[in-house]
Amino acid sequence: MRFVFFFILFSLVFTHILQGKDLEESGFISVDEAPLFLPDPNTDTLHRAIRESESYYEKLSPEWKITIKGTSFNKNDMLKSLRTLKKILKEKDPESFRNRFQNSFSILETVDQHQGKITAYYEVIMEGRTLPEGEFVHPILETPSDLIVKKQGNERIVVKSANGNLVPYETRIELFEPSVWKNKTKAISYVKITDLHLAQLEGSAIIQTPNKDPFRITYSSDNGKEYLSPAESLRGICKSLIPSDLRNCIVEFPKEVRDAILKNPRYVFFKREPSSPRGSGGIELIPKRSVAMDPNIPLGIPALITFESPVLTEKNRIVFVHDRGSKIQGHGRLDYFLGTGKKAEEQAGRIQTQGRILLILPKK
């Protein structure tokens, strides 16, 4: 899904430290009193989401830790807090629930320039072909064998070796030519250009091909280029870039839409995924429980979100940081995973709003 590959590897092996002063200055303040909210009646998805966070922490190195506002937390602290949360969620009395919650957890609220900017994402369902034909000529590629990921400071660099030198990896428009990729990777499927754009934007998809069972693809890697939205080129041409409008727009303005999408140099590579959609660190994404946030916010931690939109309203809903996104940057940014299918697609395109984001950490 929407994640940064190098960060996953780094956080699984090394210590991840967020110093208290830096964290506070870069976007968080302490909240002294927990907000009033009731135990969530939808316990099935909630417990599944907690279990995914537990599983993630169980796989971390014993040396893993975070330091927030002068307090260090190791993997066992995080696991213990998740198990405490499960016990508190069984509490039926609202006041007792709130008191136990406040006694067990510390709360941080985002206050950076992206404060409470909430969007949503989903898993795309699309048609595909095993061979290029008609409109289905845009390849969904596996990660190429020559792709190299390097780290320079905090920056992730994607390169390849050419004549003994490391050079930048190919752009989207270069990868459109089969002669560029056919000897180093293969096409999982061929799709329409708008569907390729949506799959790469959302990070996963279900592909339906004639006479074959549908299958799921999920993020594998990318070419390291910055994402360039087609929005600027299509301003005044397409009504909006929500999926239904984009698909209608390409019927009327095929060249303009195609050219705008191909201007985006970023290309996401995929792999087949036999199970449910996955986010960063292999965490299963649970609809309306999993969210993507900035890479500086540790994976697995719970949060409370509140927002209003024309299609969906949430008040102090418990969610978990299970994913990353190339465009989800800043501690006040959050992308809410809505699931798979038409309803999720329609809602995701219409959620872009301000809200409140509260991170939940163990109290020590």
Side-chain angles (χ1 to χ4, degrees), residues 223-229 263-266 326-327 329:
N223 64 351
K225 310 299 183 185
E226 286 292 322
Y227 172 75
L228 177 64
S229 173
K263 282 181 183 178
N264 172 25
R266 181 176 173 82
S326 62
K327 300 300 290 183
Q329 298 179 1

Side-chain angles (χ1 to χ4, degrees), residues 154-218:
N154 292 324
E155 190 176 1
R156 173 179 177 267
I157 307 295
V158 180
V159 295
K160 66 175 184 176
S161 179
N163 300 319
N165 298 313
L166 294 179
V167 298
Y169 211 78
E170 286 96 351
T171 63
R172 171 185 298 272
I173 198 163
E174 291 169 329
L175 288 166
F176 179 65
E177 297 297 330
S179 60
V180 172
W181 56 262
K182 66 180 181 180
N183 292 325
K184 56 188 181 182
T185 187
K186 64 179 181 179
I188 299 173
S189 184
Y190 292 87
V191 297
K192 297 177 181 179
I193 191 169
T194 50
D195 286 335
L196 176 62
H197 165 72
L198 292 172
Q200 294 186 324
L201 187 64
E202 304 300 334
S204 72
I206 292 177
I207 299 179
Q208 300 172 324
T209 55
N211 305 318
K212 291 188 177 181
D213 292 335
F215 61 91
R216 174 175 279 114
I217 58 170
T218 190

Side-chain angles (χ1 to χ4, degrees), residues 133-147:
E133 63 172 83
E135 296 178 274
F136 300 87
V137 295
H138 295 270
I140 290 178
L141 299 177
E142 294 183 347
T143 298
S145 58
D146 65 343
L147 185 143

